[in-house]
């Protein structure tokens, strides 16, 4: 359990179905070839120098044939180790001794240094890269919408969808801790929507979104709107493979939110200042709020709008059109792009066979 | 912010390295945390000891190397040290200052046996 935000693992559901935890195996499969050889022995002890070579000798990653992280089989033996890590209470209770059969050799082995030089979010970033490849192959413009709870994200999405659905294929991924109420609201507009329930988790990650994409199967050349869990803190750090993060701030919140939660505003490309129809009844200082946002992120684009009155939507829709038009390639036919649906179907068949 | 997920991320990197490098126990883990990164060092230490229980990294020391924040001031065009993302430029007092360093969260080195 996270001491900061109370999040945990093991309760993630995509459209009500449990999702296996992110495993290191498929994370490795998703590594680009540039990751090969990142591990390096820095200082082999003298007694073993003959075996291990001199300082700086490189050890290679084991190569995986699969070009894509999704779909992936989640081998149980690899998942197990990660599962233990994600559930410390259970692991502590059982107190398993990994590698105990070789314990004597371990106790006497000399220590050595291993240089890694890898980002802590490498696993998430590998899944995000796989999602991003899929978006590029299919010409999908994907946005990650982030905000506090109650900023009006879902109302804003519903109005956006109503205005766009006749001229653009759309799909929505909804992230909430519990319930599928938001996805139901979106589906009522006639657009496909999938709910991810993060359980105790406080943000969507790229692995969850990868699974959601398999189920949702957004069509080529579409706009994918991912509504993140209402949280201005954690989703800032987790790349989902989106083209842009869009942060929504409503005028019923404080002008100083960009200063209080700077990471989210720094990570976003666009800020939507929502609920401006309420400004006559509030003491909210729009200029001050925008100045605070620019203090954190000088390049942040700002659009003022109201999901209730529709004011400002022309500018927002124009921004979306512009973004959709700049998706690289607009559905490039690649070998990987052809392999992906085949792999997904095989994955479905094998899981059906297990049931 | 999201220290539990990050601690799990560190453990995953260790487990991957263990498969490649064939080590069985980790004595110490060195991580670089930028001052502008969205992470609390104290919270990550707490979470790390929790997630590594009953793993090859149980009891390992987590050595956190703090990396100073750095930014480019758009006002005076100098590269300056930055304590927080939204701080004014320490040289000229102006805004904005775009962070250029100290946002990393990396595992750099393991002491293993």
């Amino acid at each position: 359990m996270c001491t900061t935000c109370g999040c945990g693992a093991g309760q993630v559901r995509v459209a009500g179905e449990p999702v296996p935890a992110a495993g290191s195996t498929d994370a490795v499969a998703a590594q680009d070839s540039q990751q090969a050889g990142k591990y390096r022995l820095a200082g082999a002890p003298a007694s073993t120098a003959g075996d291990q070579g001199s300082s700086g000798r490189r050890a290679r990653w084991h190569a995986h044939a699969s070009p894509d992280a999704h779909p992936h089989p989640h081998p149980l033996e690899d998942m197990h180790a990660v599962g233990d890590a994600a559930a410390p209470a259970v692991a502590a209770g059982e107190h398993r001794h990994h590698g105990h059969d070789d314990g004597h050799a371990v106790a006497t082995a000399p220590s050595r240094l291993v240089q890694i030089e890898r980002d802590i979010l490498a696993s998430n970033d590998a899944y995000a890269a796989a999602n991003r490849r899929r978006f590029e192959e299919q010409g999908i413009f994907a946005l990650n919408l982030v905000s506090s709870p109650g900023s009006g994200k879902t109302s804003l999405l519903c109005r956006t969808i109503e205005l766009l659905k006749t001229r653009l294929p759309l799909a929505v991924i909804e992230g909430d801790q519990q319930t599928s109420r938001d996805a139901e609201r979106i589906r009522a507009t006639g657009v496909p929507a999938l709910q991810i329930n993060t359980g105790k988790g406080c943000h969507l990650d790229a692995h969850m979104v990868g699974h959601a994409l398999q189920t949702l199967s957004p069509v080529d050349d579409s706009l994918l709107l991912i509504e993140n869990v209402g949280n201005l803190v954690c989703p800032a750090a987790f790349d989902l493979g989106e083209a842009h993060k869009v942060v929504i701030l409503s005028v019923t919140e404080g002008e100083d939110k960009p200063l209080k939660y700077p990471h989210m505003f720094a990570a976003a490309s666009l800020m939507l200042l929502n609920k401006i129809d309420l400004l006559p009844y509030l003491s909210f200082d729009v200029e001050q709020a925008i100045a605070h946002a620019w203090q954190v992120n000088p390049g942040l684009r700002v659009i003022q709008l109201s999901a209730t009155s529709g004011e400002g939507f022309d500018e927002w829709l124009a921004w979306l059109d512009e973004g959709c038009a700049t998706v690289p390639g607009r559905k490039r036919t690649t070998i990987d792009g052809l392999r992906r649906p085949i792999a997904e179907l095989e994955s479905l068949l094998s899981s059906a066979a297990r049931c | 912010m999201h220290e539990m997920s990050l601690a799990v991320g560190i453990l995953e990197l260790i487990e991957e390295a263990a498969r490649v490098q064939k080590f069985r126990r980790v004595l110490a883990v060195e991580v670089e945390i930028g001052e502008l990164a969205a992470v609390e060092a104290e919270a990550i230490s707490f979470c790390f000891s929790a997630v590594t229980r009953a793993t090859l990294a149980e009891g390992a020391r987590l050595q956190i190397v703090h990396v100073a924040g750095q930014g480019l001031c758009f006002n005076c065009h100098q590269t300056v040290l930055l304590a927080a993302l939204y701080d004014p430029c320490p040289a000229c007092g102006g805004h904005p200052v775009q962070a250029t360093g100290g946002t990393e969260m990396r595992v750099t080195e393991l002491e293993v046996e």
Side-chain angles (χ1 to χ4, degrees):
Chain A
M1 176 80 64
C2 173
T3 53
T4 308
C5 53
C7 65
Q11 297 193 359
V12 177
R13 288 178 180 273
V14 172
E17 295 294 319
V19 173
S24 50
T25 306
D26 32 32
V28 170
Q31 301 294 332
D32 292 326
S33 57
Q34 64 182 13
Q35 294 286 3
K38 285 273 178 175
Y39 294 137
R40 188 158 67 83
L41 290 177
S47 60
T48 55
D51 296 326
Q52 298 184 348
S54 59
S55 171
R57 175 177 160 178
R58 286 176 180 272
R60 293 195 65 82
W61 283 79
H62 48 193
H64 284 252
S66 168
D68 203 327
H70 288 103
H72 40 248
H74 293 289
L76 287 174
E77 62 274 25
D78 277 73
M79 297 309 306
H80 194 62
V82 178
D84 283 354
V90 175
E94 294 184 15
H95 197 71
R96 271 165 281 202
H97 293 266
H98 294 256
H100 194 68
D101 53 342
D102 202 18
H104 191 65
V106 168
T108 55
S111 70
R112 68 183 202 269
L113 295 178
V114 177
Q115 286 199 341
I116 286 197
E117 300 285 351
R118 289 193 58 204
D119 196 284
I120 292 172
L121 287 168
S123 168
N124 183 74
D125 290 348
Y127 287 117
N131 292 345
R132 192 163 276 122
R133 272 199 299 278
R134 178 184 184 134
F135 295 146
E136 284 177 12
E137 284 161 13
Q138 287 193 260
I140 293 172
F141 184 51
L143 296 176
N144 179 3
L145 288 99
V146 290
S147 80
S148 318
S151 67
K153 281 193 301 296
T154 313
S155 299
L156 191 139
L157 275 185
C158 287
R159 187 163 193 127
T160 306
I161 289 164
E162 289 294 350
L163 293 168
L164 279 181
K165 68 180 180 186
T166 53
R167 59 186 174 98
L168 191 67
L170 291 155
V172 176
I173 294 174
E174 284 285 343
D176 279 304
Q177 279 202 308
Q178 292 188 22
T179 84
S180 55
R181 297 170 75 100
D182 279 1
E184 285 159 17
R185 277 176 72 186
I186 300 293
R187 278 196 287 267
T189 66
V191 160
L194 190 77
Q195 183 79 48
I196 300 178
N197 285 135
T198 55
K200 289 175 185 170
C202 56
H203 65 280
L204 293 179
D205 65 36
H207 179 256
M208 297 174 196
V209 170
H211 273 280
L213 289 171
Q214 282 185 52
T215 311
L216 187 64
S217 292
V219 300
D220 294 346
D221 301 325
S222 61
L223 171 63
L224 175 68
L225 299 163
I226 304 168
E227 183 183 333
N228 216 314
V229 178
N231 177 353
L232 269 182
V233 185
C234 308
F238 291 82
D239 183 9
L240 306 180
E242 74 273 355
H244 299 288
K245 282 190 178 71
V246 177
V247 63
I248 296 133
L249 177 70
S250 65
V251 299
T252 51
E253 304 170 57
E255 299 96 343
D256 52 359
K257 270 219 171 143
L259 299 182
K260 289 176 170 173
Y261 302 94
H263 291 283
M264 187 61 84
F265 290 84
S269 315
L270 171 69
M271 177 171 98
L272 297 177
L273 190 61
N274 193 21
K275 306 190 187 178
I276 57 166
D277 56 304
L278 296 177
L279 280 173
Y281 315 104
L282 303 167
S283 57
F284 188 88
D285 185 337
V286 171
E287 283 183 16
Q288 184 83 75
I290 295 172
H292 285 155
W294 283 344
Q295 197 172 321
V296 172
N297 181 353
L300 186 68
R301 171 90 184 266
V302 179
I303 296 175
Q304 300 179 43
L305 48 65
S306 162
T308 304
S309 71
E311 194 181 348
F313 263 66
D314 289 346
E315 196 180 349
W316 160 231
L317 296 187
W319 187 88
L320 288 174
D321 282 336
E322 206 177 298
C324 287
T326 55
V327 173
R330 299 293 284 161
K331 185 170 171 8
R332 283 180 294 141
T333 304
T334 63
I335 297 296
D336 286 350
L338 296 170
R339 277 192 186 129
R340 181 180 41 72
I342 296 168
E344 282 182 12
L345 288 171
E346 282 173 348
S347 166
L348 280 174
L349 280 173
S350 66
S351 63
R354 279 200 297 271
C355 289
Chain B
M1 48 178 282
H2 202 76
E3 284 74 10
M4 199 60 159
S5 287
L6 299 178
V8 171
I10 295 174
L11 182 63
E12 284 176 8
L13 290 179
I14 292 171
E15 286 174 337
E16 285 175 35
R19 278 194 287 275
V20 176
Q21 294 277 344
K22 312 282 184 219
F23 55 81
R24 291 184 169 271
R25 206 158 93 81
V26 179
L27 304 175
V29 181
E30 185 183 274
V31 293
E32 274 182 8
I33 305 282
E35 276 183 5
L36 305 179
V39 60
E40 276 301 316
E42 236 175 68
I44 209 169
S45 297
F46 176 84
C47 294
F48 181 75
S49 61
V51 302
T52 52
R53 233 172 276 158
T55 72
L56 78 171
E58 179 164 15
R61 294 188 309 281
L62 186 69
Q63 295 165 339
I64 296 176
V65 177
H66 295 275
V67 180
Q70 207 176 56
L72 176 68
C73 176
F74 281 30
N75 193 44
C76 69
H77 307 293
Q78 286 190 67
T79 296
V80 290
L81 288 177
L82 200 59
L85 271 183
Y86 49 88
D87 274 2
C89 172
C92 72
H95 280 294
V97 185
Q98 181 77 55
T100 54
T103 57
E104 56 271 78
M105 294 186 276
R106 290 193 307 158
V107 179
T108 47
E109 197 169 74
L110 305 177
E111 186 185 344
V112 303
E113 61 178 27

